[in-house]
Amino acid sequence: MTLAVQRVPEELSARVPAEQRGPGRGRDDVRLLVSRGTEATHHTFRELPCLLRAGDVLVVNTSPTLAAAVDGRVGHARVVVHFSTRGDDGRWAVELRDPDGTGTTRARPGGPAGTEVRLAGGVRLALEEPLSPGSGRLWWARVSPGGAVPGLLRAQGRPIRYSYTERDQPLSVYQTVFALPSADGAGSAEMPSAARPFTAALVAELVSRGVQFAPITLHTGVASAEVHEPPYPERFVVPEASARLINTVRGGVGGRTGGRVIAVGTTAVRAVESAAGADGVVRARAGWTDLVVTPARGVRVVDGLLTGLHEPEASHLLMLEAVAGRAAISRGYDEALAGRYLWHEFGDVHLLIPAQNVDAEHCSGNYQ
């Protein structure tokens, strides 16, 4: 899918979190574009409770964000290692990047096999093989014996940061209200950012209005801004309780309860659709998913999506089109650009409700 604009204007990149843009501001001080079919309206994120209805279920990702960027050296050259995904065999998928002199990084060629990266504390990282055939960016790598990656990240890591952001931020800035620690130290290389604007107070208000939450876990890998690639396989868990709740709302027996299943972020879509059979029934699952949601595949479970704004030609746009249709996405992005919405993980958000799932009544706000 190609949008009318080929590049997001630099001034529309959110450079700092919402709560740092002025006194008294909070995470939920972002704008919310709502697409109901091809109708687009403008709101604040704090209006979300009146845009949903009792019985709706929000599928939320509980994966914590890791301090996944670590300094190292290859020979005499400085590099930054982005730890992406922990494999079942103890290896990690990593991306090596060059520091750019401004506190962020730029892409560098990957490999070759056998490359050794020296990390802090005498730890060595050896590149073994590309993550997938033909890929030069992400490599499976093994840490020298005694070098536990979770401990290394806690001691030496910092959140992955890209050049559109203004400065380094503490890891807490990259944790969502839904994040839960993993017993094995696993987590997301980059924040599941669609959930970032939620606050404890907003969650409480949603619950008081009858909106329910179905937690899932999907540990996201790196998604460098310079590269628009299909998502790689990622680890996920859909618990039994969440599967049961989603099936109840969807009306596996006896018809719908009146609620809708709305995914908070593309990670939530990928997880819950990976756990759904061809019959649309969600079953508890844990493991790896290589599912790529496209318009041709469609969605079996998700009735709506709350997500950030994605760059033109990013692979995530195909998922958005699968949920809401090409016309709705095109109209919504035209509105976002005209309305000067902010992009990226600290930016504004977009609620997509396909025409067949739209309520007769909704908030009337038209915030600009």
Side-chain angles (χ1 to χ4, degrees):
M1 178 178 183
T2 301
L3 299 176
V5 61
Q6 295 302 309
R7 180 178 291 273
V8 177
E10 186 175 347
E11 65 271 19
L12 295 187
S13 293
R15 296 177 59 78
V16 296
E19 63 271 24
Q20 296 178 17
R21 295 179 201 150
R25 301 196 64 169
R27 285 184 173 220
D28 52 2
D29 280 305
V30 295
R31 297 169 67 191
L32 174 62
L33 176 67
V34 179
S35 292
R36 302 177 186 84
T38 55
E39 176 197 1
T41 55
H42 305 271
H43 304 264
T44 65
F45 191 76
R46 289 176 181 171
E47 291 180 86
L48 182 65
C50 74
L51 292 159
L52 302 178
R53 65 188 183 210
D56 284 344
V57 171
L58 294 178
V59 183
V60 296
N61 190 356
T62 65
S63 178
T65 307
L66 301 175
V70 176
D71 293 324
R73 286 186 178 273
V74 174
H76 296 294
R78 294 176 56 231
V79 297
V80 177
V81 182
H82 286 178
F83 284 84
S84 178
T85 303
R86 182 179 64 80
D88 293 335
D89 59 0
R91 297 186 299 176
W92 281 74
V94 302
E95 178 188 20
L96 301 191
R97 295 175 66 85
D98 290 323
D100 65 2
T102 67
T104 60
T105 60
R106 56 178 175 264
R108 79 188 302 272
T115 296
E116 184 179 82
V117 185
R118 303 192 309 279
L119 305 176
V123 176
R124 298 288 193 271
L125 182 74
L127 303 189
E128 294 188 350
E129 61 180 335
L131 184 64
S132 59
S135 170
R137 186 171 72 96
L138 287 169
W139 283 68
W140 285 116
R142 196 175 297 276
V143 176
S144 60
V149 172
L152 175 73
L153 300 186
R154 286 192 296 270
Q156 304 292 336
R158 61 187 179 276
I160 289 174
R161 174 188 159 211
Y162 294 115
S163 58
Y164 50 77
T165 56
E166 187 174 286
R167 57 181 177 270
D168 284 345
Q169 299 284 350
L171 184 59
S172 59
V173 166
Y174 290 88
Q175 301 294 5
T176 74
V177 72
F178 304 110
L180 296 173
S182 291
D184 62 358
S188 289
E190 298 181 15
M191 173 176 55
S193 56
R196 190 182 191 280
F198 284 88
T199 64
L202 188 65
V203 170
E205 182 178 354
L206 286 163
V207 171
S208 73
R209 288 172 175 256
V211 175
Q212 302 178 84
F213 290 84
I216 57 86
T217 302
L218 185 138
H219 298 310
T220 69
V222 298
S224 300
E226 296 87 353
V227 183
H228 300 307
E229 301 167 317
Y232 290 99
E234 293 167 320
R235 292 170 61 197
F236 80 106
V237 177
V238 175
E240 176 65 38
S242 294
R244 189 182 309 120
L245 173 59
I246 291 167
N247 290 332
T248 298
V249 169
R250 289 190 58 78
V253 177
R256 276 184 174 271
T257 64
R260 299 164 297 188
V261 177
I262 298 175
V264 178
T266 57
T267 62
V269 176
R270 194 181 201 197
V272 76
E273 291 290 330
S274 295
D279 56 1
V281 175
V282 179
R283 296 169 176 86
R285 281 194 60 191
W288 292 83
T289 177
D290 59 1
L291 176 66
V292 179
V293 179
T294 64
R297 189 267 186 190
V299 289
R300 298 168 179 170
V301 177
V302 171
D303 299 313
L305 172 61
L306 180 70
T307 183
L309 294 164
H310 302 279
E311 292 184 281
E313 299 182 359
S315 60
H316 286 312
L317 289 173
L318 292 174
M319 180 185 290
L320 271 60
E321 186 180 344
V323 172
R326 178 181 292 261
I329 305 305
S330 181
R331 172 66 189 280
Y333 273 69
D334 286 345
E335 288 283 330
L337 287 165
R340 311 293 289 174
Y341 277 69
L342 297 180
W343 257 251
H344 302 305
E345 65 265 31
F346 298 142
D348 298 317
V349 284
H350 189 186
L351 176 61
L352 291 153
I353 304 293
Q356 66 270 23
N357 297 320
V358 170
D359 279 332
E361 298 179 4
H362 51 72
C363 300
S364 59
N366 215 22
Y367 173 81
Q368 292 287 350

